[in-house]
Amino acid sequence: MLNYRHLYYFWVVTKEGGFARAAERLDMAVQTISAQVRELEKALGHQLLKPAGRGVAMTEAGQAAFARAEEIFQLGQLIPEEVREAASGKVARLAVGLSDGISKLAAHALLAPVLATPTLRLLCHEGEFEQLLAELAMHHLDLVLAGQPAPHNPNLRLTSERLVESPVEWYGPSALVHKAAVAGFPQSLARLPVMLPTGHSALRPRLDRWFEAQGLRPHIVGEFEDSALLAVFAARGLGVFPVSRFGAADVALMRGLRLLGRCDGVLEEIHAIRSRRGQHHPLVMQLVAAARA
């Protein structure tokens, strides 16, 4: 088994740039630290450090080890505070993964029922779908919100539930959404500047097929991964954009925007993906119950 004390000494030596400075920081003899690092190299079977002037430099193997050590000990520095908070019962922690491409407006609306929880500490992490599922399986996250269900994989032991299946609507600033544009929707989209979600979004291919079915070739002026950014740029006059009706209900983020039209036949889905442990998290249970209602 990897000796984490040896790994810690290696990490400090690398951070300090040499054995002498690491010995000073740790208040230990240089020879002791050097011997511990050699033991780590022996256990891993590769040289991690090499001389470089008056200090040391990492080998390629050392760079790989340091990258993981950096993650481990940065997380370790958080443990005392998190343990104190957990012991005091003062913090309600909820870690949520937001898959690239889902509507952040809709995600905000889904999380709204728990935002008033006293002493809530909410961690929202955005990332690639597969990466978030891996973090969920390792219990780094309590919940993942994504535009698709989790794939069947008995090793991950994840469950999915569709929380939202919402029609898509188009909004824009009043300067662009005038009576003629509304009356001529959806054909008016061919004459308006259009902003769309990027290809990361599960909604984008559905919109592309809808454009094709309507015989439209929109003038695309921007593509965004974040639907909240779409709303911000639309409010500043850049163009019109699609958003799920569920997300559009977030009045605070949609202020100043007008409804252009409804995108018949196009739906946005959001799935709640949980590990077995996450199924019993009280805040996850609360927001899932609110979405069902």
Side-chain angles (χ1 to χ4, degrees), residues 111-235:
L111 293 172
V114 303
L115 296 182
T117 303
T119 68
L120 173 68
R121 175 171 289 184
L122 177 64
L123 169 66
C124 286
H125 176 57
E126 185 175 6
E128 297 285 346
F129 182 63
E130 291 78 9
Q131 173 196 353
L132 293 178
L133 294 189
E135 292 187 35
L136 183 65
M138 293 187 291
H139 307 301
H140 296 165
L141 297 171
D142 302 307
L143 173 71
V144 168
L145 297 177
Q148 57 188 308
H152 177 67
N153 186 337
N155 295 323
L156 292 179
R157 297 184 178 182
L158 302 177
T159 61
S160 298
E161 180 177 350
R162 187 173 61 196
L163 296 184
V164 172
E165 187 179 46
S166 176
V168 171
E169 300 174 331
W170 286 82
Y171 282 81
S174 56
L176 297 175
V177 183
H178 42 72
K179 288 184 179 180
V182 173
F185 183 85
Q187 298 305 316
S188 57
L189 287 173
R191 301 184 295 274
L192 292 169
V194 168
M195 298 185 297
L196 292 174
T198 65
H200 283 84
S201 170
L203 179 60
R204 179 60 183 270
R206 298 170 194 165
L207 288 168
D208 289 340
R209 290 192 293 270
W210 182 79
F211 285 136
E212 185 176 354
Q214 299 294 325
L216 292 171
R217 298 185 63 182
H219 171 49
I220 301 172
V221 296
E223 298 180 62
F224 299 79
E225 289 186 2
D226 190 333
S227 60
L229 274 180
L230 276 171
V232 169
F233 277 86

Side-chain angles (χ1 to χ4, degrees), residues 34-56:
S34 177
Q36 302 298 314
V37 172
R38 284 198 300 272
E39 286 296 317
L40 177 65
E41 291 177 324
K42 182 178 177 181
L44 294 176
H46 294 280
Q47 181 182 0
L48 303 178
L49 297 172
K50 59 185 179 181
R54 296 183 179 180
V56 293

